[in-house]
Amino acid sequence: MGLSGVAVIAATALMLSGCAADSGRSGDAPLAATAPQPTGQPAASSRAAQEIQGPAPRLVLTHAGGITVLDAASLAVVGEADLEGFNRLNPAGDGRHVLVSTGSAFKVFDAGVWTEKHGDHGHSYAAQPALTGVEFQASQSGHAVFHAGRTALFSDGSGQVEVFEPSGLGAEAAALPERDVYTAPDAHHGVAVPLEQGKLLITLGDDESRRGIAVLAAGSGQNRAELVRNEDCPGVHGEAVAGPDAVVVGCEDGMLIYRGGRISKVPSPDAYGRMGNQAGSPESPVVLGDYKVDKDATLERPTRVSLVNTETAALQLVELGTSYSFRSLGRGPSGEALILGTDGSLRIIDPLTGNITSNIPVVAAWEESETWQDPRPTLFVQGSTAYVTEPASSAIHAVDLASGKVTKSADLPHVPNELTGVSG
């Protein structure tokens, strides 16, 4: 079903008048009568925006051949878009758009919900989701990271980094936002993280190896002075932000922490102890990471996760009693560490003590494929709800983290792969 065939307007529309602000949610996000076109919204009549009661979060999923969008409250399908190939999803940072890594570009996908500030309140809108036609050309488009009010795109094939304010994505229907372009000395599978005061953290490496990070001063283009670097991080991979100001990257023998203008290393207890995937939270100084110890494994199925305290440099390893995948890590609204196991249960861990506080059955037991692009149960957290896909049954489940219960499940029209969301 294409976008043109999806009804976005619910049958019971809620009429709004004047500037009355209402921050509530209303299930499938009923829409009011067509509102005046907000600034930056494409004028196509097929995507006319309508004012709704309040922010209406949505979920965005990939599948073979396209993208599906769900209402986060009802799990109902609100739109689809065709897009061939294996595509990866990255939140743009503005609560509305998603950046789709296709390999040759970062394509801008409009999830179709947003809120505009109006004095001391906001006005929320909904429209049909769609690929906007706007794209950042890239050689092997990789990671997109939002931090400190800006988004950084990293192209693995060229080492090019594009940094911009995501609010500029809606400025015109077919125009790229104003952006600063920096090119790393060598191309590699890397990542860049925007920092406060215009600084930029970037990984170091080339097509043969990856070895560390550098932090660059504010500037434009190549005109950025290097402030600090650390090359003691073989196989550098991934990134996360913990608490108010710590940024971490994983190594094959530990983790690097950038905090307070300095880079420090937390070593693994094993000679090879890889923490290449991480999940951080602004509510916790502790970073959740995976932990692998078999360098020669075709696919290692670890049963331990790592907890690294960015304030004390303390490292804990927590035994789960089950394996998990790189799409199994998440954080709760208070900084809880969440892990989806291959036994089908979602574990909640106190990040400071390492104690497993809850074990919530969600999906059937599953086994991770040796092909990393293949679908597998995937965890995404939005607010106090954890969403878990189940490719084996083409389903998605919503878990209320406060009660520890699955509150809603829905069948999907396609086998889901990647999963993210927007706040609206």
Side-chain angles (χ1 to χ4, degrees), residues 61-63 86 327 373-376 378 389 415-419:
L61 306 93
T62 61
H63 57 84
F86 174 70
R327 292 185 184 157
Q373 295 95 336
D374 284 347
R376 79 275 319 277
T378 297
T389 59
V415 176
N417 199 334
E418 294 222 338
L419 169 67

Side-chain angles (χ1 to χ4, degrees), residues 67 83 87-90 98-102 105-107 109:
I67 298 171
L83 186 63
N87 302 299
R88 309 212 66 189
L89 301 177
N90 313 272
V98 171
L99 298 165
V100 186
S101 301
T102 66
F106 292 93
K107 292 181 180 290
F109 183 80

Side-chain angles (χ1 to χ4, degrees), residues 66-310:
I67 298 171
T68 299
V69 181
L70 310 179
D71 177 85
S74 68
L75 302 184
V77 175
V78 296
E80 292 191 321
D82 295 332
L83 186 63
E84 295 298 323
F86 174 70
N87 302 299
R88 309 212 66 189
L89 301 177
N90 313 272
D94 62 351
R96 171 178 177 177
H97 295 92
V98 171
L99 298 165
V100 186
S101 301
T102 66
S104 61
F106 292 93
K107 292 181 180 290
V108 180
F109 183 80
D110 185 353
V113 283
W114 68 97
T115 297
E116 296 184 355
K117 292 182 178 180
H118 190 176
D120 61 352
H121 63 278
H123 288 258
S124 297
Y125 300 90
Q128 288 183 327
L131 285 162
T132 65
V134 178
E135 57 185 61
F136 300 80
Q137 295 298 314
S139 172
Q140 300 175 31
S141 54
H143 290 280
V145 176
F146 173 75
H147 183 55
R150 297 177 300 153
T151 301
L153 310 179
F154 194 98
S155 296
D156 294 349
S158 64
Q160 178 175 282
V161 178
E162 297 180 82
V163 183
F164 60 94
E165 294 185 5
S167 59
L169 291 173
E172 294 182 33
L176 288 170
E178 181 179 347
R179 60 206 187 278
D180 178 66
V181 180
Y182 170 83
T183 302
D186 297 289
H188 62 284
H189 176 50
V191 67
V193 183
L195 303 175
E196 300 292 346
Q197 301 174 336
K199 298 175 185 177
L200 183 69
L201 182 150
I202 187 167
T203 52
L204 303 172
D206 52 36
D207 58 0
E208 295 183 353
S209 66
R210 305 189 304 274
R211 60 186 180 275
I213 60 173
V215 176
L216 310 178
S220 60
Q222 300 303 110
N223 184 29
R224 288 178 176 270
E226 184 174 301
L227 301 175
V228 62
R229 72 163 47 199
N230 185 304
E231 297 188 43
D232 183 20
C233 187
V236 59
H237 187 272
E239 53 71 36
V241 178
D245 60 358
V247 180
V248 307
V249 297
C251 317
E252 292 178 347
D253 60 358
M255 186 176 286
L256 293 185
I257 302 171
Y258 174 72
R259 182 171 178 265
R262 301 179 60 187
I263 301 173
S264 59
K265 182 171 183 177
V266 177
S268 297
D270 300 281
Y272 181 87
R274 185 179 187 271
M275 293 181 271
N277 298 282
Q278 315 85 24
S281 167
E283 304 301 323
S284 172
V286 178
V287 170
L288 168 67
D290 58 359
Y291 193 73
K292 296 185 175 182
V293 296
D294 188 351
K295 186 175 183 179
D296 300 321
T298 300
L299 173 66
E300 183 177 355
R301 293 184 169 91
T303 61
R304 292 182 294 175
V305 292
S306 57
L307 296 170
V308 176
N309 192 313
T310 59

Side-chain angles (χ1 to χ4, degrees), residues 350-373:
D350 183 324
L352 293 176
T353 66
N355 294 329
I356 299 175
T357 60
S358 296
N359 193 345
I360 308 166
V362 183
V363 300
W366 52 283
E367 182 176 90
E368 182 180 8
S369 170
E370 291 187 0
T371 302
W372 72 268
Q373 295 95 336

